[in-house]
């Protein structure tokens, strides 16, 4: 369920989008899963977002944004 109005912007800031780099943490935190930019883009598309962009701010840090489709 998405509570954004059509045209609303969604942004998600992530500390880790490289599964291999994050292996140290994902093996120590039970249930932790690190998703790639491609997987996150797919989730947002399936969730009704368009104009999806990712912004890399560090080697493994990322911010994802998308606009809710009408």
């Amino acid at each position: 369920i998405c509570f954004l109005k059509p045209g609303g912007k969604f942004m998600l800031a992530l500390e880790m989008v490289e599964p291999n780099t994050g292996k140290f943490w994902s093996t120590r935190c039970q249930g932790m899963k690190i998703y790639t930019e491609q997987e996150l883009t797919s989730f947002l598309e399936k969730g009704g977002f368009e104009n999806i962009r990712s912004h890399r701010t560090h080697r493994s840090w990322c911010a994802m944004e998308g606009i809710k489709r009408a």
Side-chain angles (χ1 to χ4, degrees):
I1 298 175
C2 182
F3 297 102
L4 280 177
K5 293 180 182 179
K9 184 180 274 191
F10 173 82
M11 182 168 262
L12 176 66
L14 305 146
E15 185 175 344
M16 188 69 58
V17 290
E18 297 293 337
N20 288 331
T21 304
K23 203 171 260 190
F24 173 84
W25 293 109
S26 62
T27 57
R28 285 160 180 77
C29 300
Q30 184 177 359
M32 181 177 180
K33 167 87 167 96
I34 298 171
Y35 296 99
T36 65
E37 286 176 78
Q38 294 79 17
E39 290 172 312
L40 293 166
T41 297
S42 177
F43 295 152
L44 289 170
E45 287 172 343
K46 290 176 184 175
F49 290 88
E50 59 189 5
N51 299 333
I52 299 164
R53 298 185 332 178
S54 65
H55 307 277
R56 296 299 290 263
T57 58
H58 186 268
R59 191 176 74 192
S60 61
W61 292 45
C62 180
M64 303 287 296
E65 69 174 301
I67 305 293
K68 182 67 176 165
R69 280 193 289 271

